[in-house]
DNA sequence: GCCAACGTTGGC
DNA sequence: GCCAACGTTGGC
């Protein structure tokens, strides 16, 4: 089993939005970065554990734990001309973008980016590196366990 | 709103 | 295949 960190803008889908979804599950649509897509399409498996992270907001940080509940499948928004995620180069026969489904495991306290950066144990966490622009990043088991430890 | 960082695009 | 221009991300 792998561990991941997935960023979402709370103005788009917040942890509370996720909690109120049917089955507390959401399709992780709208990823238009190849590396992030490849993580979902090639590496994510049902049961993988995910830190749900709020980005581009007043208090960026980890706000919950979720899990992959469905393997990657074509992202429906790429075929929708009315969507801002529409991709004219994608066809149902040749989809370009994929997403997994993610289900809430539990909300946690907010562990802000500043707090995360304050722990030397997390110094090499992908998402904390300057210039990191990936919205989906792998998390080392040691990092995962450390963060779970400070959540309490 | 600023801006550093970096991915993508497209002309050559 | 190079690389300049452009767009986007995301913390501050």
């Amino acid at each position: 089993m792998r561990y991941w960190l997935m960023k979402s803008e709370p103005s788009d889908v917040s942890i509370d939005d996720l909690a109120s979804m049917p089955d507390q599950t959401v399709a992780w649509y709208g990823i238009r970065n190849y590396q992030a897509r490849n993580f979902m399409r090639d590496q994510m498996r049902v049961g993988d554990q995910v830190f749900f992270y709020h980005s581009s907001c007043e208090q960026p940080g980890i706000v919950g734990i979720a899990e992959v509940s469905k393997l990657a499948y074509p992202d429906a928004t790429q075929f929708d001309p009315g969507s801002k995620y529409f991709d004219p180069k994608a066809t149902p026969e040749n989809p370009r973008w994929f997403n997994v489904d993610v289900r809430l495991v539990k909300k946690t306290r907010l562990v802000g980016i500043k707090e995360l950066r304050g722990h030397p144990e997390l110094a090499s966490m992908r998402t904390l590196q300057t210039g990191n622009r990936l919205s989906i990043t792998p998390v080392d088991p040691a990092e995962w366990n450390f963060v779970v430890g400070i959540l309490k």
Side-chain angles (χ1 to χ4, degrees), chain A residues 2-4 51 121-122 124-126 137-147:
Chain A
R2 293 175 189 264
Y3 300 104
W4 306 93
F51 285 135
E121 293 88 344
L122 302 176
S124 57
M125 240 180 122
R126 270 296 272 292
T137 48
V139 175
D140 287 346
E143 293 164 351
W144 178 275
N145 290 330
F146 183 83
V147 173

Side-chain angles (χ1 to χ4, degrees), chain A residues 27-34 37 40-41 72-100:
Chain A
W28 210 266
Y29 61 85
I31 298 298
R32 295 295 179 266
N33 169 284
Y34 288 103
R37 178 204 68 179
M40 284 199 287
R41 189 190 60 184
Y73 57 95
D75 179 339
T77 62
Q78 70 191 305
F79 309 126
D80 175 6
S83 167
K84 69 169 175 172
Y85 298 116
F86 177 64
D87 184 343
K89 293 180 184 163
T91 63
E93 297 74 31
N94 225 339
R96 188 186 272 208
W97 306 110
F98 294 80
N99 62 255
V100 295

Side-chain angles (χ1 to χ4, degrees), chain A residues 6-116:
Chain A
M6 298 174 82
K7 294 180 186 175
S8 181
E9 300 187 16
S11 58
D12 188 3
V13 180
S14 71
I15 190 78
D16 288 323
D17 292 335
L18 177 60
S20 61
M21 298 264 181
D23 206 23
Q24 302 194 320
T25 298
V26 70
W28 210 266
Y29 61 85
I31 298 298
R32 295 295 179 266
N33 169 284
Y34 288 103
Q35 256 188 292
R37 178 204 68 179
N38 292 348
F39 283 142
M40 284 199 287
R41 189 190 60 184
D42 304 334
Q43 296 194 30
M44 284 194 183
R45 295 295 173 261
V46 171
D48 280 5
Q49 300 293 293
V50 175
F51 285 135
F52 193 104
Y53 182 100
H54 280 172
S55 69
S56 293
C57 59
E58 263 184 43
Q59 294 190 297
I62 293 170
V63 291
I65 293 175
E67 66 182 8
V68 176
S69 60
K70 188 176 180 182
L71 278 180
Y73 57 95
D75 179 339
T77 62
Q78 70 191 305
F79 309 126
D80 175 6
S83 167
K84 69 169 175 172
Y85 298 116
F86 177 64
D87 184 343
K89 293 180 184 163
T91 63
E93 297 74 31
N94 225 339
R96 188 186 272 208
W97 306 110
F98 294 80
N99 62 255
V100 295
D101 282 357
V102 164
R103 182 195 299 133
L104 180 66
V105 173
K106 62 175 178 181
K107 288 174 62 175
T108 65
R109 73 177 179 90
L110 169 77
V111 184
I113 186 168
K114 202 172 164 190
E115 177 177 350
L116 292 169

